[in-house]
Amino acid sequence: MAEKIKNESEITESKKFMPNLSYDSVIFGFNGKQLKILILEYHNTGFFALPGGFVRRNESLDDAVKRGVRHRTGLDRIYLEQFHTFGDIERSDSEAMMRILEENGMDLKTNQWMLDRFLTVAYYALINYDEVTPRPDKLSDSISWYSIDELPALMMDHKKIVEKALQVLRENLEKKLIGMNLLPPKFTMKQLQQVYEAILGENLRRTTFQRRILSMDILERHDKLFQGKAHKAPYLYSFKSEKII
Amino acid sequence: MAEKIKNESEITESKKFMPNLSYDSVIFGFNGKQLKILILEYHNTGFFALPGGFVRRNESLDDAVKRGVRHRTGLDRIYLEQFHTFGDIERSDSEAMMRILEENGMDLKTNQWMLDRFLTVAYYALINYDEVTPRPDKLSDSISWYSIDELPALMMDHKKIVEKALQVLRENLEKKLIGMNLLPPKFTMKQLQQVYEAILGENLRRTTFQRRILSMDILERHDKLFQGKAHKAPYLYSFKSEKII
DNA sequence: TATTATTGTCACTAAATGAGACAATAAAAA
DNA sequence: TTTTTATTGTCTCATTTAGTGACAATAATA
């Protein structure tokens, strides 16, 4: 049996995007102490979720994610890494989606396509915490930083996505010079160590860490940073420019 | 403008699968000397490609890939690892797809959905070369093993997919006990070393390799293997069962 | 001027890895 | 039966890397 003819607006709306496919982003920031991620809350629902979006028919997957993350953070150059695609059947939750549409006064017919099953491609982003004032979009009440060990309950499989992001981030820590994307251009050795400790979730030895990083020959040393504290002032470092990706 | 009403068979056919999404599999095997992958050739086209397929609406992404790889190899338990999702716009090639449909006498109308843009989720599989006699499916002339440094020209972005698979396989070599999936249950230390060498594309020192592997405490030693050669017989090993994933 | 907290660096130890040496041994050749 | 051959298992020593503590240098404070 042929299905009934769809109404025009649904066709128009759903044709803008690749169907049944979304992306979700785990946006990491570092506030000097803790590793944090951006979580948004949908209007009037109590639903917390990762910032995500859809892929337009005339843009690449990577570009779609760049566009979305740029839009939410205001940052132009963002370190992004795709880490997994989630495709379980049960991951989609049409009832929750319906709630969100209703609470935002969106037409169910027009947006029917959003209630279907979705696969999602997950990316993590590393950004300089201080440069960002995240702004909520139309659908969400708030978008704000949460420490990774104090996350609210997340909708659908977003908790699983965050866990996988963290796992891959840890695995990539050594081989991808990740620190540079979470810190300001100049930083002290202690700050870099704190980034590593926050990501790994464990304490590192100061002398060993310093020796290992310096032996990698990726840092440039600058003037000392006088913090106005009663002790020796640390050097500032930056990543050697030729090492930057 | 509303689009024209689709004919019934197209709707039925395309509704079986998630639209605009495929998977591709890089199936690795080891013949004792070289690392090889399975490549298929479509009827009468000269197009070489990775084995791939589509995701049914009522099955998970992982299950779809398992189903496809099982069908092509006849193996039931397969080590599979998702490694990347490819989503460039230019990666889709509707003309090539049309050629394939035509040469296989498939109706263009019914299979119109296949000519659209596709994103593909890529997996690699590790299988025991000796256990498999790959069989071509309806669409393909042949499916056979190619050494990774003697691949034919592949269609679309499949070369890029293979390269990425190899890169991730190398990165995972240490942390995921990959050898076990490419070897028979019992093997010599030399065989294991040859797997490592084939994957890494470099020679390793015998003594260092042996010491490192043994110190990992993942192998069980069995009787010697008498090969009928004029030298000391090597021990056979297997992976300790509690270490198997 | 002494005190305080933190930093950069060194020294010593322990562990891991590189590189070669060599005896043991299964089968073939003499 | 003895010798030869190729490969294996293991040992030793040198080199590199990492763990651990010690300590002097130094900005600001008391």
Side-chain angles (χ1 to χ4, degrees):
Chain A
M1 189 197 79
E3 63 183 354
K4 66 179 188 295
I5 301 170
K6 296 170 178 175
N7 77 52
E8 191 162 336
S9 66
E10 179 183 0
I11 288 168
T12 315
E13 191 57 23
S14 67
K15 276 198 74 163
K16 267 170 61 178
F17 300 106
M18 301 303 289
N20 305 282
L21 186 85
S22 62
Y23 70 84
D24 283 293
S25 54
V26 182
I27 304 174
F28 287 103
F30 180 68
N31 72 345
K33 295 265 184 185
Q34 295 164 304
L35 199 59
K36 297 189 171 266
I37 64 179
L38 281 178
I39 300 287
L40 59 82
E41 183 178 2
Y42 287 110
H43 288 313
N44 311 322
T45 57
F47 291 157
F48 292 89
L50 292 171
F54 305 112
V55 182
R56 288 186 185 148
R57 288 199 165 263
N58 61 352
E59 76 183 341
S60 77
L61 173 60
D62 283 353
D63 286 344
V65 182
K66 268 181 220 157
R67 175 173 57 77
V69 177
R70 182 185 304 137
H71 181 254
R72 287 184 142 100
T73 62
L75 296 181
D76 206 42
R77 286 196 181 183
I78 294 168
Y79 180 85
L80 274 170
E81 192 98 17
Q82 186 200 301
F83 64 91
H84 198 74
T85 296
F86 295 82
D88 284 354
I89 307 176
E90 326 82 56
R91 71 170 301 280
S92 302
D93 183 345
S94 62
E95 297 199 6
M97 215 49 216
M98 216 177 305
R99 245 324 268 299
I100 292 171
L101 293 176
E102 278 168 2
E103 293 295 339
N104 282 281
M106 293 174 74
D107 181 42
L108 277 186
K109 270 274 161 47
T110 310
N111 295 288
Q112 183 106 33
W113 62 285
M114 284 204 222
L115 307 180
D116 201 355
R117 173 183 171 192
F118 271 79
L119 289 89
T120 198
V121 187
Y123 286 69
Y124 69 77
L126 303 176
I127 67 176
N128 185 343
Y129 183 89
D130 300 317
E131 284 182 20
V132 185
T133 330
R135 245 188 296 241
D137 59 13
K138 287 169 294 186
L139 290 177
S140 44
D141 270 335
S142 67
I143 178 166
S144 41
W145 292 107
Y146 286 83
S147 174
I148 51 170
D149 35 44
E150 290 167 1
L151 293 180
L154 301 179
M155 65 183 298
M156 307 210 301
D157 58 352
H158 288 198
K159 178 149 190 283
K160 210 167 120 188
I161 296 177
V162 172
E163 281 164 4
K164 182 82 179 175
L166 205 52
Q167 179 205 319
V168 176
L169 179 65
R170 284 175 181 153
E171 290 169 2
N172 286 347
L173 183 55
E174 299 310 320
K175 59 175 184 239
K176 297 209 175 175
L177 248 52
I178 274 165
M180 85 167 90
N181 303 291
L182 292 165
L183 288 172
K186 290 187 180 183
F187 49 86
T188 65
M189 190 59 73
K190 179 162 200 168
Q191 284 178 290
L192 185 58
Q193 184 177 340
Q194 283 170 328
V195 170
Y196 271 66
E197 290 177 333
I199 291 174
L200 295 174
E202 61 180 305
N203 293 330
L204 302 174
R205 297 212 135 236
R206 186 178 60 94
T207 48
T208 311
F209 179 79
Q210 179 145 340
R211 178 174 51 191
R212 210 185 73 211
I213 297 288
L214 287 178
S215 76
M216 290 167 69
D217 191 39
I218 53 172
L219 296 186
E220 217 160 345
R221 181 183 276 188
H222 303 280
D223 290 342
K224 292 185 175 185
L225 169 67
F226 296 89
Q227 296 162 303
K229 298 282 177 59
H231 55 77
K232 195 170 174 177
Y235 287 108
L236 284 171
Y237 294 90
S238 65
F239 288 94
K240 282 187 179 173
S241 54
E242 79 259 27
K243 305 280 178 178
I244 292 180
I245 312 160
Chain B
M1 188 200 76
E3 64 185 356
K4 66 177 189 297
I5 302 170
K6 297 171 178 176
N7 77 52
E8 190 163 334
S9 65
E10 181 183 359
I11 287 167
T12 315
E13 192 56 25
S14 69
K15 276 198 74 165
K16 267 168 63 177
F17 300 105
M18 302 301 291
N20 305 282
L21 187 84
S22 62
Y23 71 84
D24 284 294
S25 53
V26 182
I27 304 174
F28 287 104
F30 181 70
N31 72 346
K33 296 267 183 182
Q34 295 163 305
L35 199 59
K36 299 192 170 261
I37 65 179
L38 281 178
I39 300 289
L40 60 81
E41 183 177 2
Y42 288 108
H43 288 314
N44 309 324
T45 58
F47 290 157
F48 292 88
L50 292 169
F54 305 112
V55 182
R56 290 188 183 145
R57 288 199 168 263
N58 61 352
E59 76 183 340
S60 77
L61 173 60
D62 283 351
D63 286 344
V65 182
K66 268 181 222 158
R67 174 172 57 77
V69 177
R70 182 184 305 138
H71 181 254
R72 287 183 142 102
T73 61
L75 295 181
D76 207 43
R77 288 194 178 183
I78 294 168
Y79 180 86
L80 275 170
E81 192 98 16
Q82 187 199 300
F83 65 90
H84 198 74
T85 296
F86 296 82
D88 283 355
I89 307 177
E90 326 81 56
R91 73 170 300 280
S92 302
D93 183 345
S94 62
E95 297 200 5
M97 214 49 216
M98 216 178 304
R99 238 337 259 301
I100 292 171
L101 293 176
E102 279 169 1
E103 293 295 339
N104 283 279
M106 293 174 74
D107 182 42
L108 278 185
K109 271 273 162 48
T110 310
N111 295 288
Q112 184 110 31
W113 62 283
M114 286 205 221
L115 307 180
D116 201 356
R117 174 183 171 192
F118 271 79
L119 290 89
T120 199
V121 187
Y123 285 70
Y124 69 76
L126 303 177
I127 68 177
N128 184 344
Y129 184 87
D130 300 317
E131 285 183 19
V132 185
T133 329
R135 245 189 295 242
D137 60 12
K138 285 170 294 184
L139 289 177
S140 43
D141 269 334
S142 67
I143 178 166
S144 42
W145 291 107
Y146 287 82
S147 174
I148 50 170
D149 36 43
E150 290 167 1
L151 294 180
L154 301 180
M155 64 182 299
M156 306 211 300
D157 58 353
H158 288 198
K159 179 149 189 284
K160 212 168 120 187
I161 296 178
V162 171
E163 281 165 4
K164 182 84 178 173
L166 205 52
Q167 180 204 318
V168 177
L169 178 65
R170 283 175 181 152
E171 289 169 3
N172 286 346
L173 183 56
E174 298 311 319
K175 60 177 184 239
K176 297 207 176 177
L177 245 53
I178 275 166
M180 85 166 90
N181 303 291
L182 291 167
L183 287 173
K186 291 189 180 181
F187 48 86
T188 65
M189 190 60 73
K190 179 162 199 169
Q191 285 179 289
L192 185 59
Q193 183 177 340
Q194 283 171 327
V195 170
Y196 271 67
E197 290 178 333
I199 291 174
L200 294 174
E202 60 180 305
N203 293 331
L204 303 174
R205 293 213 137 236
R206 187 177 62 92
T207 51
T208 311
F209 178 79
Q210 179 145 340
R211 179 173 52 192
R212 211 185 75 214
I213 296 289
L214 288 178
S215 77
M216 291 167 69
D217 192 38
I218 52 172
L219 295 187
E220 216 160 342
R221 180 184 278 191
H222 303 282
D223 290 341
K224 293 185 174 184
L225 170 67
F226 296 88
Q227 296 163 303
K229 298 282 177 61
H231 56 76
K232 197 169 173 177
Y235 287 107
L236 282 172
Y237 294 90
S238 66
F239 288 96
K240 283 187 179 173
S241 54
E242 80 259 28
K243 304 279 178 180
I244 293 181
I245 312 160

